[in-house]
């Protein structure tokens, strides 16, 4: 019966595609991309997770960011005829171009776009080195211009949006609205600042990011940049951004249109798929595995985007074994993957791993669709989450999820213990987010080691972004000045401070706005769209 249901849904999606000639009418000043429509069986067509009839080309999906009904744009990565073996034989940038072309086929000259995006931003063209530590491998994703994993995707997204605007016939500015739990904001501003035809506004939770993260954002230069703190937590900021999209859907924005740099935008998510392939290729090259062997990945995640990229890689053919979802004290995902119940009505904790301090994991919606293949089911679940604060998936769906995803959580004390122990025993310095993932990998070591597959731990930020937490975990005195603590951490460890962080102290503060969460729409209308 389930097979018949999936067949029916896919047939319905095809019919919706054939009839969906008006799907571009939601964007003002944009022309229909008839190449995508008439070439539908040869290109990737996206649709909303909540309504399969709201379809879009890949350029349209990237440009719009979020679907008109509030859903997220999704494709079926398992339907791609992607030669993953051939991709592994290429250098990182060529591999990235192949993967992005497969996922975003309406973009022209992806090879040039990728190379221009990364030129001069990373120390090496490999972008994300894989480092053996004890019996695991650490995938270091933080060697970009802001020392966070978001750089990998947000180096590419601005060029994708500019190219999409040109392809879709946009005449006005694209206005990027982004909520950040710490890292996305700076990485997005670094990518978009002074890019012609774009404006960007970043909202972050007031007092909810590290001092270094706040300094990175508050000192950001760029004539097209605004930064605003929101009195509330990340979920309040993220919900506010989604509500702004809904409120502005039918407004005259003076020729501008709204888009997003969060991983709700498929153009943010797609580049993250690449480093799963890169890590796998490095393990083959080193002789640790043979081509076709499975690899397990443990991912510290709050909004579920980073780990969902691993699921995309798996669906595209990469031999991904288990995807382990590692949470901090805000363990809503651990509960969900254990019980099938997602309940956001729970205490919110500010932790030493603030980029994971999230109770509403937006990208989980995409996974729910990929597993159920039923947009009406996803729409119902998201409506229940919004109205009653929780939902419960069926036993069949939970069974499918648990076949791929493992889970676990680690509080601040556990993360501090890992940071100190890994440094003492292996002389490897990790940040609190990486420590959470390491701890969860250890908790599930019996389950993971039974397969004989190597475990890759994704490291999402430089330890120097959280010097107080790391220094304390090493048993050293901390103080009020995080820049002093960075220098002390460098003195103790000998690990160089990333250049972009070393130069932060003393820069002029350019952004001081602080507003209530209920004032976000007025702020955007008055300050961002007044141009």
């Amino acid at each position: 019966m389930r097979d018949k249901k999936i067949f029916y849904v896919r047939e319905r999606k095809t019919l919706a595609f054939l009839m969906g000639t008006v799907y571009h009418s939601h964007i003002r000043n944009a022309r229909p991309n008839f190449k995508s429509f008439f070439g539908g069986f040869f290109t990737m067509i996206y649709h909303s997770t909540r309504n399969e009839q709201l379809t879009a080309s890949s350029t349209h999906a990237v440009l719009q960011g979020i679907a008109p009904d509030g859903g997220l744009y999704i494709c079926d990565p398992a339907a791609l005829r992607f030669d993953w073996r051939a991709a592994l034989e290429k250098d990182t940038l060529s591999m990235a171009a192949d993967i992005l072309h497969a996922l975003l086929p309406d973009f022209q000259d992806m090879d040039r776009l990728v190379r221009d995006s990364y030129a001069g931003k990373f120390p090496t063209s490999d972008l994300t080195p894989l480092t053996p530590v004890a019996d695991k491998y650490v995938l270091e994703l933080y060697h970009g211009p802001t020392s966070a994993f978001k750089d990998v995707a947000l180096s590419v997204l601005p060029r994708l949006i500019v190219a999409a605007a040109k392809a879709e016939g946009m005449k006005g500015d694209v206005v990027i609205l982004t909520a950040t739990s710490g890292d996305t904001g700076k990485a997005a501003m670094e990518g978009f600042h002074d890019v012609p035809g774009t404006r960007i506004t970043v909202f972050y939770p007031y007092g909810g990011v590290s001092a270094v993260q706040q300094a990175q954002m508050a000192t950001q230069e760029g004539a097209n940049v605004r930064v605003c703190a929101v009195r509330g937590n990340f979920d309040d900021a993220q919900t506010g951004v989604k509500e702004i999209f809904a409120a502005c859907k039918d407004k005259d924005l003076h020729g501008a249109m709204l888009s997003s740099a969060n991983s709700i935008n498929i153009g943010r998510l797609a580049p993250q798929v690449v480093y799963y392939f890169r890590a796998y290729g490095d393990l083959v090259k080193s002789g640790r595995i043979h081509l076709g062997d499975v690899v397990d990945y443990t991912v510290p995640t709050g909004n579920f985007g980073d780990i969902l990229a691993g699921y995309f890689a798996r669906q595209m053919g990469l031999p991904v074994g288990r995807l382990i979802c590692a949470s901090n004290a805000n363990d809503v995902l651990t509960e969900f993957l254990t019980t099938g119940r997602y309940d956001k009505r729970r205490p919110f904790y500010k932790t030493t791993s603030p980029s994971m301090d999230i109770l509403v994991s937006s990208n989980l919606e995409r996974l729910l669709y990929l597993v159920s293949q039923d947009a009406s089911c996803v729409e119902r679940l998201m409506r229940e989450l919004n109205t009653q604060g929780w939902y419960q998936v069926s036993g069949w769906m939970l069974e499918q999820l648990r076949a791929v995803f493992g889970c676990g959580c680690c509080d601040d004390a556990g993360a501090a213990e890992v940071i100190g122990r890994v440094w003492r025993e292996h002389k490897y310095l990790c940040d609190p987010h990486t420590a959470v993932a390491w701890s969860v990998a250890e908790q599930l070591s019996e389950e993971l080691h039974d397969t004989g597959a190597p475990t890759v731990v994704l490291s999402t930020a430089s330890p120097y972004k959280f010097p107080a937490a790391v220094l304390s975990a090493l048993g050293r005195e901390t103080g009020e000045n995080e820049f002093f603590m960075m220098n002390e951490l460098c003195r103790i460890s000998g690990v160089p401070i990333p250049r972009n962080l070393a130069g932060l102290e003393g820069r002029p503060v350019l952004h001081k706005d602080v507003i209530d969460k209920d004032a976000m729409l007025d702020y955007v209308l008055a300050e961002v769209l007044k141009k």
Side-chain angles (χ1 to χ4, degrees), residues 206-221:
Y206 185 61
V209 300
S210 77
V212 171
Q213 288 174 314
Q214 181 171 340
Q216 284 185 298
M217 291 186 283
T219 60
Q220 176 65 52
E221 298 179 344

Side-chain angles (χ1 to χ4, degrees), residues 267-529:
R268 232 298 294 281
L269 183 66
Q272 294 176 252
V273 176
V274 177
Y275 42 72
Y276 286 88
F277 281 82
R278 179 68 277 155
Y280 189 94
D282 287 346
L283 289 170
V284 172
K285 186 177 180 181
S286 70
R288 174 60 178 83
I289 61 172
H290 298 294
L291 191 66
D293 292 347
V294 299
V295 173
D296 299 324
Y297 296 83
T298 303
V299 188
T301 189
N303 217 20
F304 211 76
D306 209 11
I307 196 167
L308 183 66
Y311 188 73
F312 268 54
R314 190 179 195 271
Q315 295 294 91
M316 292 171 70
L318 191 70
V320 173
R322 299 286 284 165
L323 286 165
I324 306 301
C325 176
S327 300
N328 62 16
N330 295 294
D331 58 353
V332 63
L333 287 168
T334 304
E335 180 184 29
F336 172 70
L337 290 170
T338 303
T339 68
R341 180 184 177 91
Y342 194 102
D343 194 340
K344 68 178 183 178
R345 303 169 304 168
R346 56 201 296 123
F348 177 87
Y349 300 106
K350 289 185 178 181
T351 74
T352 58
S353 48
S355 296
M356 300 160 66
D357 290 349
I358 296 170
L359 296 182
V360 180
S361 303
S362 289
N363 268 289
L364 187 60
E365 180 172 342
R366 284 189 169 107
L367 181 64
L368 293 174
Y369 179 81
L370 291 173
V371 172
S372 70
Q373 292 287 306
D374 186 348
S376 63
C377 170
V378 176
E379 190 280 329
R380 174 179 59 80
L381 294 175
M382 294 302 101
R383 179 165 27 89
E384 289 174 355
L385 183 64
N386 186 50
T387 57
Q388 65 187 26
W390 65 276
Y391 62 79
Q392 175 76 45
V393 300
S394 68
W396 173 75
M397 282 184 66
L398 179 59
E399 179 185 337
Q400 301 302 306
L401 290 167
R402 293 183 68 178
V404 178
F405 292 90
C407 63
C409 56
C410 171
D411 61 14
D412 285 355
E417 189 277 330
V418 166
I419 292 170
R421 173 163 51 86
V422 171
W423 172 251
R424 289 192 305 273
E425 296 179 1
H426 308 292
K427 295 305 176 188
Y428 187 82
L429 196 64
C430 63
D431 88 297
H433 304 75
T434 308
V436 167
W438 186 283
S439 174
V440 172
E442 288 184 331
Q443 294 170 34
L444 302 182
S445 60
E446 185 174 337
E447 173 188 339
L448 296 176
H449 290 168
D450 280 348
T451 66
T455 297
V456 173
V457 174
L458 272 64
S459 181
T460 55
S462 165
Y464 286 103
K465 296 198 78 166
F466 310 95
V470 176
L471 199 60
S472 176
L474 298 184
R476 301 302 179 114
E477 291 289 332
T478 61
E480 297 296 324
N481 188 324
E482 287 207 353
F483 298 104
F484 172 82
M485 285 184 269
M486 272 199 275
N487 291 323
E488 183 66 8
L489 189 58
C490 180
R491 185 187 67 80
I492 293 169
S493 68
V495 176
I497 303 173
R499 186 165 44 185
N500 71 84
L501 299 180
L504 266 181
E505 189 174 18
R507 288 185 186 174
V509 174
L510 304 176
H511 306 281
K512 301 178 181 179
D513 292 349
V514 181
I515 61 173
D516 292 330
K517 61 184 180 181
D518 296 333
M520 289 174 64
L521 175 60
D522 289 340
Y523 182 88
V524 168
L525 293 176
E527 301 296 331
V528 181
L529 295 172

Side-chain angles (χ1 to χ4, degrees), residues 68-192:
D69 63 346
L72 307 186
Y73 282 117
I74 188 66
C75 65
D76 184 2
L80 292 172
R81 294 181 178 179
F82 184 70
D83 189 346
W84 62 272
R85 292 176 179 84
L88 292 175
E89 295 176 358
K90 299 187 176 183
D91 65 83
T92 302
L93 298 188
S94 299
M95 178 191 294
D98 282 0
I99 292 168
L100 290 178
H101 178 70
L103 289 169
L104 306 171
D106 299 291
F107 287 84
Q108 302 298 312
D109 198 1
M110 187 64 80
D111 186 76
R112 179 186 58 79
L113 189 152
V114 166
R115 293 181 186 280
D116 289 349
S117 296
Y118 290 118
K121 292 187 177 181
F122 287 73
T124 69
S125 59
D126 284 343
L127 307 183
T128 55
L130 188 69
T131 302
V133 181
D135 61 343
K136 301 176 183 62
Y137 293 84
V138 177
L139 182 58
E140 297 178 347
L141 304 176
Y142 55 80
H143 292 285
T146 75
S147 301
F149 81 102
K150 311 292 178 75
D151 291 326
V152 177
L154 286 166
S155 293
V156 183
L157 183 61
R159 292 181 184 274
L160 288 175
I161 285 183
V162 169
K166 182 178 180 180
E168 296 291 327
M170 264 294 296
K171 302 300 182 185
D173 285 353
V174 180
V175 178
I176 310 297
L177 299 183
T178 294
T180 184
S181 53
D183 288 332
T184 291
K186 172 60 179 178
M189 290 185 288
E190 185 68 27
F192 279 98

